[in-house]
Each structure stands twice: as structure tokens, then as C-alpha cells.
Amino acid sequence: GWLFWRARACGRRSGDSKRQVILFILCFCVCQSGAETLRYSVPEEMERDSFVANIAKDLGVPLSQLAARKARVVSEGNEQLFRLNQNTGVLTAKESLDREEICPQSDTCTLVFKIFFENPLQLIRGEVEVRDVNDNSPVFPEKQMVLKILETASPGSRFLLESAQDKDVGINGLQNYSLGPNPHFSLATGTGKDGVKYVELVLQRQLDREEQGELNLLLTAIDGGSPPRSGTAQVRIVVVDANDNIPVFERETYEVRLAENSPLEQLVVRVAAADPDEGSYGEVRYAFTQTSERSRQLFQLNPATGEIRVAGNLDFEETKTHKMVVKATDGGELSAHCKVQVEVLDVNDNAPEIALTSLTASIPEDAPPRTVVALFSVRDRDSGDNGRTECSIDGDLPFSLTPTFDNYYELRTSAALDRERTAEYNITITAMDWGKTRLSSRKSIFVQISDVNDNPPEFTQEVYTMWVTENNSPMLRIGSMNATDADAGKNARVNYAVVRQEGKEQPEVSVNAENGDVYILRPLDYEKVRAFEVTVRAADGGSPPLSAQALLRVVVRDENDNAPVLLHPPPDSSAAGEL
């Protein structure tokens, strides 16, 4: 394939390093401007998994980034036609591309796709032109055409023939006709106002029914491919006796406007042709000619009255205009033609469709306002106001919608988030069209708010007072301290520790790091220590951790563990006897 890369905003630069800078800037800006487009061209009927382009090379993106940023390709519409290999950066066709099936009745066939990157979200538009290959021959609707021509027809008279159809386009489409050698007729071709080629028989030498009642001619349709393809049909000329007048239609062209929701059997138009002859020569019968198979399925023509009625479900989104040719034939096999053009009017019969392209399922609570959460598109197959859409978010939520381009929207945060207040959001997006009877559809997006360590632990008390009786046993539990943290996960996991102060003796207590239980390390003596205080810190598991402190006061209770001692006079003094 071939690639055009337009970088009007940045200009041209030389050198690989400058080119990479330009490509990076284009990729960064593409979600906002949508001005740059990757363009490729491939022939139709390639084998499945055929090479289309090297996306990584064309964008200047390292291969490691494709997988790391979850690069993927999304085609417009429901069918995904391409596949992106994240390991090689190569874009391939998932199936063989048939231009006539993908883009019927279209001179050009362009498939639109988008490359999406995450972290951060980026979007790049691409187009693949599917080139026509001469894989279809011209085909006539019928293998044999029968023309009944009056023997009195004068040289120069023209007779319209059924045109061949070729599904290919351009030079590969129908180009010319040829007629087998014969003494009476030549061919004339032309192009109508609608661009469709037509072919006519031109009478060169007058017919004589008594001399030759029938002629069989070979008509060949040729396309312009290399090598060219062709299709043939037999033209059977039946020479009839004189019939003085041909049918004459009231109008050459009948133009009708019809709503796409018109019911079956509804009258579309009545064509009428008059023939002043008498008897069977004046009786006119009607039939479709030069009319596509699809139009014949959607409309029914009464051969006796000329009434055309709805016979199928019209769809504005499928075909906006139907062109038909009605042939009026009298009892003497003389005929005339008129055109019927039906314009299908759009009715608001399609609700908007919401397609989610990318979603960040979890965002941190400290995400700044206008952080992109999701990217989605809205499509309405109707036209005009019926296809014009608007999007909104249900409820009062800290999120907003920002339109980008091509009916794409970004879901962004609009205010600061707090997981401790709201841990998750169920966001309902409503897309509504502007039709008279407004149609809408909804899409729910579930977003979780991930925790950030923004809350320190909090003790239930500023000062904890605990009592212990002296002469206690070692490692005696005397109580518990408790601190809570409003965060989640490891950010809420609290560890306790005694704050050691430099220059002071090791404290007599220990605090369990996990549950805050307080223990006396060794036996205490009321006569030496009656009370003491230590500071206890509670720290969470965040990075960096947050902490809080509380004061622990331990009061020692006295126990009768000392006998009285006579201080005066001393026992060995003589004064003791006097006392």
C-alpha cells in the first residue's frame, strides 16, 4: 500500500530525529484536531491477512510502545475489517476485501479506521482505498431480448435495448457495445443525465415482414479492463404488421416524494399512456424496463392500470432515490417509455448508537479535573435533524462530556474526587437525536476510584492512662491503644511503635505493632517509679507513610511489700533502752 502523511500545522523537517518529533506532536494532538490522516491503497480480492501497512514505521512509534499503550485498530461500522499486530506494528486485512460487496454502486471505496493508544489516550484516523480489479464481466438482465418492430418503421428509427450491468467501476466498468453483422441495424450508445450508459438499435434499412419475419442479432457488452471482459445477449427482432399509432405518455418523467415508512400497497403514482388506435392496437399494457432488481422488489406495477404501489420496506439509509423506466405496449406491439423517479424521504426511525472505544476502569482519587476517563462515539443513521445528536450525563456527577471530532466524545472528570466519600460511580450517558419524535439510547459506564494515601491515622484518644500494680510479671498486658485510617488497603494498615527519645532510658513499655496492645516489659517498683509517660506513633502503610501520635501515661499502684523500719534511735544505741 501507499501512505500520505499530511502535517500542515508543523511543516516539513529533514532528518530522522526531527521527523520523529513531528510525528510525536501529531500523535499527541490528533485526538483534538483530527486533521492528520493515514492514507493507504490496496487492490480488492487480496488474500486474508494480507499486508496493508506498517503502522509503527509510518507513525515513528517504537514497537515496545504498541503493546505498552494497548494500541488497537477499530473500523467504522459493525464489521472489523483490519487487524493490528502489536508485536510487529503491521496492519493486515482480516478477510479478503470485495469492493463490490463493501461499496456497491459506488465509484470510490474508502474504508475508515482509527488507531487508539492508551496511557495517554490518543486517536489517529486512517483511510484505506480499496482499488477496483476487473473481476466482473458485463451481464445483461436477460439472455434474450425480443423487440417487435413495425414493418413500416422508417430508417433512422431508434429502439432502446436493455443495458448490461457491470459491478466494476471506472475503466473496469462497462465501456462499449458491439453488434453482430446484419443488413438492417446499427448501434448507437450514449450516456443519460444520470450517468448511465444506454444502447439503442438504429434502423438503417427498412424491414419487410413478407421478406423476413424475424432477425436474430448478437449484442456484446465490453468493459475496459486489461484484458477486457464481455457479456452477450441475443436480440430477437419480430417484424409486425402496420400499427399506425404508438402509445404516448402524459409526461416523460414522473417525480414522486415518498416517506420511508410508507405502508405496503400505498399508491405511489399512476402512469398513463394513450393510444388512439382501435381494438387491440389501442389497448395499452405496462411493464418495468431498465429498472434495477431492488426497485422491482420494492415497487409493484399494475400492468393494466399503470398504478405503481409500495411492495417492500423502503429505507432512506439504504437508497435515497429509485429510478425506474415504464414501458407501455399496445396490442400491435408498439411501445413507448417514461421515467419514474421516487425520492425517499427520511423518517426518524433510527435511535442513536453509542460505541465505547476506550475506558479507564479505575482512576486515582487525586486525579486532576479534566482527566480523560473514556472515549466513545455516537452514530445516528438518519439524516438532517433526525441524525443530529446530543449527549448528556444523567444526575449530578463530577464528570463532563467534551466533543472531539467525527461524533466522538471524551468523558472527563469535572471536579476533585474523594474515594472516602464516593468509591465508585455508575455513569449513565444518554444520546438523543433532534427529530420531531426524539429517539434516544443509553450507555452505562462503571468507574472505580482508587485510593490515594491522603488521610493520616487518628487515635481514638489523645491521652491514654493505664494502671499497673507494682511487682508485676514481665510482659504483662495492661491495655490497648487504637487508631483508625479512612484510606483503603495498605494505605489504611496501621502500625504502632513507641517513640524513643534520645538521651533517655529505654521505656518500660512495649506496644504491639499490629493491634496496639500495651505490655510492661519488666517488674516495676512503686517506691522507685510511681508513673511515667511515653509517646506512641501510629503510621499507615502508604508511600510515603502518614502518621499520628498519642500520649501513653502509665500509673503504678502501691503494694504492701515493705515492713516498717525504726529510724531513730538506732537499734544498737543506748538510747534504745531508755525508750
Side-chain angles (χ1 to χ4, degrees), residues 220-292:
T220 303
I222 307 167
D223 66 20
S226 180
R229 289 173 173 263
S230 63
T232 60
Q234 289 287 334
V235 181
R236 180 171 166 242
I237 307 296
V238 177
V239 184
V240 294
D241 281 337
N243 179 14
D244 297 312
N245 297 284
I246 64 172
V248 178
F249 279 99
E250 296 174 348
R251 284 182 278 174
E252 289 186 3
T253 303
Y254 293 81
E255 295 181 349
V256 184
R257 305 179 75 192
L258 196 63
E260 64 175 326
N261 62 347
S262 298
L264 299 179
E265 298 296 328
Q266 177 174 322
L267 179 64
V268 178
V269 68
R270 182 181 181 274
V271 298
D275 191 319
D277 290 325
E278 294 183 353
S280 62
Y281 286 157
E283 296 177 358
V284 178
R285 304 282 291 179
Y286 303 92
F288 282 130
T289 184
Q290 294 282 316
T291 301
S292 69

Coordinates of all heavy atoms in Angstrom, one line a residue, residues 220-292:
T220 N -23.1 -7.5 -27.9 CA -22.0 -7.8 -27.0 C -21.7 -6.5 -26.2 O -21.5 -5.4 -26.8 CB -20.7 -8.2 -27.7 OG1 -21.0 -9.4 -28.5 CG2 -19.6 -8.5 -26.7
A221 N -21.5 -6.6 -24.8 CA -21.1 -5.5 -24.0 C -19.7 -5.8 -23.5 O -19.3 -6.9 -23.1 CB -22.0 -5.4 -22.7
I222 N -18.8 -4.7 -23.6 CA -17.4 -4.9 -23.3 C -17.0 -3.9 -22.3 O -17.4 -2.7 -22.3 CB -16.6 -4.7 -24.6 CG1 -17.1 -5.5 -25.8 CG2 -15.1 -4.9 -24.4 CD1 -16.6 -5.2 -27.1
D223 N -16.2 -4.3 -21.3 CA -15.6 -3.4 -20.3 C -14.2 -2.9 -20.7 O -13.7 -3.4 -21.8 CB -15.7 -4.0 -18.9 CG -14.7 -5.1 -18.7 OD1 -13.8 -5.3 -19.5 OD2 -14.9 -5.9 -17.7
G224 N -13.6 -2.1 -19.9 CA -12.3 -1.5 -20.3 C -11.1 -2.1 -19.5 O -10.1 -1.5 -19.5
G225 N -11.3 -3.3 -18.9 CA -10.3 -3.9 -18.2 C -9.2 -4.4 -19.1 O -9.3 -4.4 -20.3
S226 N -8.1 -4.9 -18.4 CA -7.0 -5.4 -19.2 C -6.6 -6.8 -18.6 O -6.0 -6.8 -17.5 CB -5.8 -4.5 -19.2 OG -4.7 -5.0 -19.9
P227 N -6.9 -7.9 -19.2 CA -7.7 -8.0 -20.5 C -9.2 -7.6 -20.3 O -9.7 -7.8 -19.2 CB -7.5 -9.4 -21.0 CG -7.3 -10.1 -19.7 CD -6.6 -9.2 -18.8
P228 N -9.9 -7.2 -21.4 CA -11.3 -6.8 -21.2 C -12.2 -8.0 -21.0 O -11.8 -9.1 -21.5 CB -11.6 -6.1 -22.5 CG -10.6 -6.7 -23.5 CD -9.4 -6.9 -22.7
R229 N -13.3 -7.8 -20.3 CA -14.3 -8.9 -20.2 C -15.5 -8.5 -21.0 O -15.8 -7.3 -21.2 CB -14.7 -9.0 -18.7 CG -13.6 -9.7 -17.9 CD -14.0 -9.7 -16.4 NE -13.0 -10.4 -15.5 CZ -13.2 -11.7 -15.1 NH1 -14.3 -12.3 -15.5 NH2 -12.3 -12.3 -14.4
S230 N -16.4 -9.4 -21.3 CA -17.5 -9.1 -22.1 C -18.7 -10.0 -21.7 O -18.5 -11.1 -21.1 CB -17.2 -9.3 -23.6 OG -16.9 -10.6 -23.9
G231 N -19.9 -9.6 -22.1 CA -21.1 -10.4 -21.9 C -22.0 -10.2 -23.2 O -21.9 -9.2 -23.8
T232 N -22.8 -11.2 -23.5 CA -23.6 -11.2 -24.7 C -25.0 -11.5 -24.4 O -25.4 -12.0 -23.4 CB -23.1 -12.2 -25.7 OG1 -23.2 -13.5 -25.2 CG2 -21.6 -12.0 -26.1
A233 N -25.9 -11.0 -25.3 CA -27.3 -11.3 -25.3 C -27.8 -11.4 -26.7 O -27.3 -10.7 -27.6 CB -28.1 -10.2 -24.5
Q234 N -28.8 -12.2 -26.9 CA -29.5 -12.4 -28.2 C -30.6 -11.3 -28.3 O -31.4 -11.2 -27.4 CB -30.0 -13.8 -28.4 CG -29.0 -14.9 -28.6 CD -28.4 -14.8 -30.0 OE1 -29.0 -14.3 -30.9 NE2 -27.1 -15.3 -30.0
V235 N -30.6 -10.6 -29.5 CA -31.7 -9.6 -29.7 C -32.6 -10.2 -30.9 O -32.1 -10.4 -32.0 CB -31.2 -8.3 -30.1 CG1 -32.3 -7.3 -30.4 CG2 -30.2 -7.7 -29.1
R236 N -33.8 -10.6 -30.5 CA -34.7 -11.2 -31.5 C -35.7 -10.1 -32.0 O -36.4 -9.5 -31.2 CB -35.4 -12.3 -30.8 CG -36.4 -13.1 -31.7 CD -37.0 -14.3 -31.0 NE -38.1 -14.8 -31.7 CZ -39.3 -14.9 -31.2 NH1 -39.5 -14.6 -29.9 NH2 -40.4 -15.4 -31.9
I237 N -35.6 -9.8 -33.3 CA -36.4 -8.8 -33.9 C -37.6 -9.5 -34.5 O -37.4 -10.4 -35.4 CB -35.7 -8.0 -34.9 CG1 -34.4 -7.4 -34.3 CG2 -36.5 -6.9 -35.5 CD1 -34.6 -6.4 -33.2
V238 N -38.8 -9.2 -34.1 CA -40.0 -9.7 -34.7 C -40.7 -8.5 -35.5 O -41.0 -7.5 -34.9 CB -41.0 -10.2 -33.6 CG1 -42.3 -10.7 -34.3 CG2 -40.4 -11.3 -32.8
V239 N -40.8 -8.7 -36.8 CA -41.4 -7.7 -37.7 C -42.9 -7.9 -37.7 O -43.4 -9.0 -37.9 CB -40.8 -7.8 -39.1 CG1 -41.4 -6.7 -40.0 CG2 -39.3 -7.8 -39.1
V240 N -43.6 -6.8 -37.3 CA -45.1 -6.9 -37.2 C -45.7 -6.0 -38.3 O -45.1 -5.1 -38.8 CB -45.6 -6.5 -35.8 CG1 -45.1 -7.4 -34.8 CG2 -45.1 -5.0 -35.5
D241 N -47.0 -6.4 -38.5 CA -47.7 -5.6 -39.5 C -48.0 -4.2 -39.0 O -47.8 -3.9 -37.8 CB -49.1 -6.3 -39.8 CG -48.9 -7.4 -40.8 OD1 -47.9 -7.4 -41.5 OD2 -49.8 -8.3 -40.8
A242 N -48.4 -3.3 -39.8 CA -48.6 -1.9 -39.5 C -49.5 -1.6 -38.4 O -50.6 -2.2 -38.3 CB -49.0 -1.1 -40.8
N243 N -49.1 -0.7 -37.5 CA -50.0 -0.2 -36.5 C -49.7 1.3 -36.4 O -48.6 1.7 -36.1 CB -49.6 -0.9 -35.1 CG -50.4 -0.4 -34.0 OD1 -51.4 0.3 -34.2 ND2 -50.0 -0.7 -32.8
D244 N -50.7 2.1 -36.8 CA -50.4 3.5 -37.1 C -49.9 4.3 -36.0 O -49.2 5.3 -36.2 CB -51.7 4.1 -37.7 CG -52.1 3.4 -39.0 OD1 -51.2 3.3 -39.9 OD2 -53.3 3.1 -39.1
N245 N -50.3 4.0 -34.7 CA -50.0 4.9 -33.6 C -49.3 4.2 -32.5 O -49.7 3.0 -32.1 CB -51.3 5.6 -33.1 CG -52.0 6.5 -34.1 OD1 -51.5 7.6 -34.4 ND2 -53.0 5.9 -34.7
I246 N -48.4 4.8 -31.9 CA -47.7 4.3 -30.7 C -48.3 4.9 -29.5 O -48.9 6.0 -29.5 CB -46.2 4.5 -30.8 CG1 -45.9 6.0 -30.7 CG2 -45.6 3.9 -32.0 CD1 -44.4 6.3 -30.5
P247 N -48.2 4.2 -28.3 CA -48.7 4.9 -27.1 C -47.9 6.1 -26.8 O -46.8 6.2 -27.1 CB -48.5 3.8 -26.0 CG -48.4 2.5 -26.8 CD -47.8 2.9 -28.1
V248 N -48.6 7.1 -26.2 CA -48.0 8.4 -25.8 C -48.3 8.6 -24.3 O -49.4 8.7 -23.9 CB -48.5 9.5 -26.6 CG1 -47.9 10.8 -26.2 CG2 -48.3 9.3 -28.1
F249 N -47.2 8.8 -23.5 CA -47.4 9.0 -22.1 C -47.8 10.5 -21.8 O -47.4 11.4 -22.6 CB -46.1 8.7 -21.3 CG -45.9 7.3 -21.0 CD1 -45.1 6.5 -21.8 CD2 -46.5 6.7 -19.9 CE1 -44.9 5.1 -21.5 CE2 -46.4 5.4 -19.6 CZ -45.5 4.6 -20.4
E250 N -48.5 10.7 -20.7 CA -48.9 12.1 -20.4 C -47.7 12.9 -20.1 O -47.6 14.1 -20.3 CB -49.8 12.1 -19.2 CG -51.1 11.4 -19.4 CD -52.0 11.3 -18.2 OE1 -51.4 11.5 -17.1 OE2 -53.2 10.9 -18.2
R251 N -46.7 12.3 -19.4 CA -45.4 13.0 -19.1 C -44.2 12.1 -19.4 O -44.3 10.9 -19.4 CB -45.4 13.3 -17.6 CG -46.3 14.5 -17.2 CD -46.1 14.8 -15.7 NE -47.0 13.9 -14.9 CZ -46.9 13.9 -13.6 NH1 -46.1 14.7 -12.9 NH2 -47.7 13.1 -12.9
E252 N -43.1 12.8 -19.7 CA -41.9 12.0 -20.0 C -41.3 11.5 -18.7 O -40.7 10.4 -18.6 CB -40.9 12.8 -20.7 CG -41.2 13.1 -22.2 CD -40.1 13.9 -22.9 OE1 -39.0 14.1 -22.2 OE2 -40.2 14.2 -24.0
T253 N -41.4 12.3 -17.6 CA -40.9 11.9 -16.3 C -41.9 12.2 -15.2 O -42.5 13.2 -15.1 CB -39.6 12.7 -16.0 OG1 -38.6 12.5 -17.1 CG2 -39.0 12.3 -14.7
Y254 N -42.1 11.2 -14.4 CA -42.9 11.3 -13.2 C -42.0 11.4 -12.0 O -41.2 10.5 -11.7 CB -43.9 10.1 -13.1 CG -44.9 10.0 -14.1 CD1 -44.6 9.5 -15.4 CD2 -46.2 10.4 -13.9 CE1 -45.6 9.4 -16.4 CE2 -47.2 10.3 -14.9 CZ -46.9 9.8 -16.1 OH -47.8 9.7 -17.1
E255 N -42.1 12.5 -11.2 CA -41.3 12.6 -10.0 C -42.2 12.6 -8.8 O -43.2 13.3 -8.7 CB -40.6 13.9 -10.0 CG -39.5 14.0 -11.2 CD -38.8 15.3 -11.2 OE1 -39.2 16.2 -10.4 OE2 -37.7 15.4 -11.9
V256 N -41.8 11.7 -7.8 CA -42.7 11.5 -6.6 C -41.8 11.5 -5.4 O -40.6 11.1 -5.4 CB -43.4 10.1 -6.7 CG1 -44.3 9.9 -5.5 CG2 -44.1 9.9 -8.0
R257 N -42.3 12.1 -4.3 CA -41.6 12.1 -3.0 C -42.4 11.2 -2.0 O -43.6 11.3 -1.9 CB -41.5 13.5 -2.4 CG -40.8 14.4 -3.4 CD -40.7 15.8 -2.8 NE -39.6 15.9 -1.8 CZ -39.5 16.9 -0.9 NH1 -40.3 17.9 -1.0 NH2 -38.5 16.9 0.0
L258 N -41.7 10.3 -1.4 CA -42.4 9.2 -0.6 C -41.6 9.0 0.7 O -40.4 8.9 0.7 CB -42.4 7.9 -1.4 CG -43.4 6.8 -1.0 CD1 -44.8 7.3 -1.1 CD2 -43.2 5.6 -1.8
A259 N -42.3 9.0 1.9 CA -41.7 8.8 3.2 C -41.3 7.3 3.3 O -41.9 6.4 2.7 CB -42.7 9.1 4.3
E260 N -40.1 7.1 4.0 CA -39.6 5.7 4.0 C -40.5 4.8 4.8 O -40.3 3.6 4.7 CB -38.2 5.7 4.6 CG -38.1 6.2 6.0 CD -36.6 6.1 6.6 OE1 -35.9 5.2 6.2 OE2 -36.2 7.0 7.4
N261 N -41.4 5.3 5.7 CA -42.2 4.4 6.5 C -43.6 4.2 5.8 O -44.6 3.9 6.5 CB -42.4 5.0 7.9 CG -43.1 6.4 7.9 OD1 -43.2 7.0 6.8 ND2 -43.5 6.8 9.1
S262 N -43.7 4.5 4.5 CA -44.9 4.3 3.8 C -45.4 2.8 3.9 O -44.5 1.9 3.7 CB -44.8 4.7 2.3 OG -44.4 6.0 2.2
P263 N -46.6 2.6 4.1 CA -47.1 1.2 4.3 C -47.2 0.4 2.9 O -47.2 1.1 1.9 CB -48.5 1.3 4.9 CG -49.0 2.7 4.4 CD -47.7 3.5 4.3
L264 N -47.2 -0.9 3.0 CA -47.4 -1.7 1.8 C -48.7 -1.4 1.1 O -49.7 -1.0 1.8 CB -47.3 -3.2 2.2 CG -46.0 -3.7 2.8 CD1 -46.1 -5.2 3.1 CD2 -44.8 -3.4 1.9
E265 N -48.7 -1.5 -0.2 CA -49.9 -1.2 -1.0 C -50.2 0.3 -1.2 O -51.2 0.6 -1.8 CB -51.1 -2.0 -0.5 CG -51.0 -3.5 -0.5 CD -50.8 -4.1 -1.9 OE1 -51.4 -3.5 -2.8 OE2 -50.1 -5.1 -2.0
Q266 N -49.4 1.2 -0.6 CA -49.7 2.6 -0.8 C -49.4 3.0 -2.2 O -48.4 2.6 -2.8 CB -48.8 3.4 0.2 CG -49.1 4.9 0.0 CD -48.3 5.8 1.0 OE1 -48.2 5.4 2.2 NE2 -47.8 6.9 0.6
L267 N -50.4 3.8 -2.8 CA -50.2 4.2 -4.2 C -49.1 5.2 -4.2 O -49.0 6.2 -3.5 CB -51.5 4.9 -4.7 CG -51.5 5.4 -6.1 CD1 -51.3 4.3 -7.1 CD2 -52.8 6.2 -6.4
V268 N -48.1 5.0 -5.2 CA -47.0 5.9 -5.4 C -47.3 6.9 -6.5 O -47.3 8.1 -6.3 CB -45.7 5.1 -5.7 CG1 -44.6 6.0 -6.0 CG2 -45.4 4.1 -4.6
V269 N -47.7 6.4 -7.6 CA -48.1 7.2 -8.8 C -48.8 6.3 -9.8 O -48.7 5.1 -9.8 CB -46.8 7.8 -9.4 CG1 -45.9 6.8 -10.1 CG2 -47.1 8.9 -10.4
R270 N -49.6 7.0 -10.7 CA -50.2 6.2 -11.7 C -49.7 6.8 -13.1 O -49.9 8.0 -13.3 CB -51.7 6.4 -11.6 CG -52.5 5.6 -12.7 CD -54.0 5.8 -12.6 NE -54.7 5.0 -13.6 CZ -55.0 5.4 -14.8 NH1 -54.6 6.7 -15.2 NH2 -55.7 4.7 -15.7
V271 N -49.0 6.0 -13.8 CA -48.6 6.4 -15.1 C -49.7 6.1 -16.2 O -50.4 5.1 -16.0 CB -47.2 5.8 -15.5 CG1 -46.2 6.2 -14.6 CG2 -47.4 4.2 -15.6
A272 N -49.8 6.9 -17.2 CA -50.9 6.7 -18.2 C -50.3 7.0 -19.6 O -49.7 8.1 -19.8 CB -52.1 7.5 -17.8
A273 N -50.6 6.1 -20.5 CA -50.2 6.3 -21.9 C -51.5 6.1 -22.7 O -52.3 5.1 -22.5 CB -49.1 5.4 -22.3
A274 N -51.7 7.0 -23.7 CA -52.9 6.9 -24.6 C -52.5 6.4 -26.0 O -51.4 6.8 -26.5 CB -53.6 8.2 -24.6
D275 N -53.4 5.6 -26.6 CA -53.1 5.1 -28.0 C -54.4 5.3 -28.7 O -55.4 4.6 -28.4 CB -52.7 3.6 -27.9 CG -52.2 3.2 -29.3 OD1 -52.8 3.5 -30.3 OD2 -51.2 2.4 -29.3
P276 N -54.5 6.1 -29.7 CA -55.8 6.4 -30.4 C -56.2 5.3 -31.3 O -57.3 5.4 -31.9 CB -55.5 7.7 -31.2 CG -54.0 7.7 -31.4 CD -53.4 7.0 -30.2
D277 N -55.4 4.2 -31.5 CA -55.9 3.2 -32.4 C -57.1 2.5 -31.8 O -57.4 2.6 -30.6 CB -54.7 2.2 -32.6 CG -53.6 2.7 -33.5 OD1 -53.9 3.5 -34.4 OD2 -52.4 2.4 -33.2
E278 N -57.8 1.7 -32.6 CA -58.9 1.0 -32.1 C -58.6 -0.5 -31.9 O -57.6 -1.0 -32.4 CB -60.1 1.1 -33.2 CG -60.6 2.5 -33.4 CD -61.8 2.5 -34.4 OE1 -62.0 1.5 -35.0 OE2 -62.4 3.6 -34.5
G279 N -59.5 -1.1 -31.1 CA -59.3 -2.5 -30.9 C -58.1 -2.8 -30.1 O -57.7 -2.0 -29.2
S280 N -57.5 -4.0 -30.4 CA -56.3 -4.4 -29.6 C -55.1 -3.4 -29.8 O -54.3 -3.3 -28.9 CB -55.9 -5.8 -30.0 OG -55.5 -5.9 -31.3
Y281 N -55.1 -2.8 -30.9 CA -54.0 -1.8 -31.2 C -54.0 -0.6 -30.2 O -53.0 0.1 -30.1 CB -54.0 -1.4 -32.6 CG -53.5 -2.4 -33.6 CD1 -53.9 -2.3 -34.9 CD2 -52.7 -3.4 -33.2 CE1 -53.4 -3.3 -35.9 CE2 -52.2 -4.4 -34.1 CZ -52.6 -4.3 -35.4 OH -52.2 -5.3 -36.3
G282 N -55.2 -0.4 -29.6 CA -55.3 0.8 -28.7 C -55.3 0.4 -27.3 O -55.4 1.2 -26.4
E283 N -55.2 -0.9 -27.0 CA -55.1 -1.4 -25.6 C -53.6 -1.4 -25.2 O -52.8 -2.0 -25.8 CB -55.7 -2.8 -25.5 CG -57.2 -2.9 -25.8 CD -57.7 -4.3 -25.7 OE1 -56.9 -5.2 -25.5 OE2 -58.9 -4.5 -25.9
V284 N -53.4 -0.7 -24.0 CA -52.0 -0.5 -23.6 C -51.8 -1.3 -22.3 O -52.6 -1.4 -21.4 CB -51.7 1.0 -23.3 CG1 -50.3 1.2 -22.7 CG2 -51.9 1.8 -24.5
R285 N -50.6 -2.0 -22.3 CA -50.2 -2.7 -21.1 C -48.8 -2.1 -20.7 O -48.0 -1.6 -21.5 CB -49.9 -4.2 -21.5 CG -51.2 -4.9 -22.1 CD -52.2 -5.3 -21.0 NE -51.7 -6.3 -20.1 CZ -52.4 -6.8 -19.1 NH1 -53.6 -6.3 -18.8 NH2 -51.9 -7.7 -18.3
Y286 N -48.6 -2.2 -19.3 CA -47.4 -1.5 -18.7 C -46.5 -2.6 -18.1 O -46.9 -3.6 -17.6 CB -47.8 -0.5 -17.6 CG -48.8 0.5 -18.1 CD1 -50.2 0.4 -18.1 CD2 -48.3 1.7 -18.7 CE1 -51.1 1.3 -18.5 CE2 -49.2 2.7 -19.2 CZ -50.6 2.5 -19.1 OH -51.4 3.5 -19.5
A287 N -45.2 -2.3 -18.2 CA -44.2 -3.2 -17.6 C -42.9 -2.4 -17.3 O -42.7 -1.3 -18.0 CB -43.9 -4.3 -18.5
F288 N -42.2 -2.8 -16.3 CA -40.9 -2.2 -15.9 C -39.9 -2.6 -17.0 O -39.8 -3.7 -17.5 CB -40.4 -2.6 -14.6 CG -41.1 -1.9 -13.4 CD1 -41.6 -2.6 -12.4 CD2 -41.2 -0.5 -13.4 CE1 -42.2 -2.0 -11.3 CE2 -41.8 0.2 -12.4 CZ -42.3 -0.6 -11.3
T289 N -39.0 -1.7 -17.3 CA -37.8 -2.0 -18.1 C -36.7 -1.0 -17.7 O -36.9 0.1 -17.1 CB -38.1 -1.8 -19.6 OG1 -36.9 -2.2 -20.3 CG2 -38.4 -0.3 -20.0
Q290 N -35.4 -1.4 -17.9 CA -34.3 -0.6 -17.5 C -34.4 -0.2 -16.0 O -34.1 0.9 -15.6 CB -34.3 0.7 -18.3 CG -33.9 0.5 -19.8 CD -32.5 0.3 -20.0 OE1 -31.6 1.0 -19.4 NE2 -32.2 -0.7 -20.8
T291 N -34.9 -1.2 -15.2 CA -35.1 -0.9 -13.8 C -34.4 -2.0 -12.9 O -34.4 -3.2 -13.3 CB -36.6 -1.0 -13.4 OG1 -37.3 0.0 -14.2 CG2 -36.9 -0.8 -12.0
S292 N -33.7 -1.5 -11.9 CA -32.9 -2.5 -11.1 C -33.8 -3.5 -10.4 O -35.0 -3.3 -10.1 CB -32.1 -1.7 -10.0 OG -32.9 -1.1 -9.1

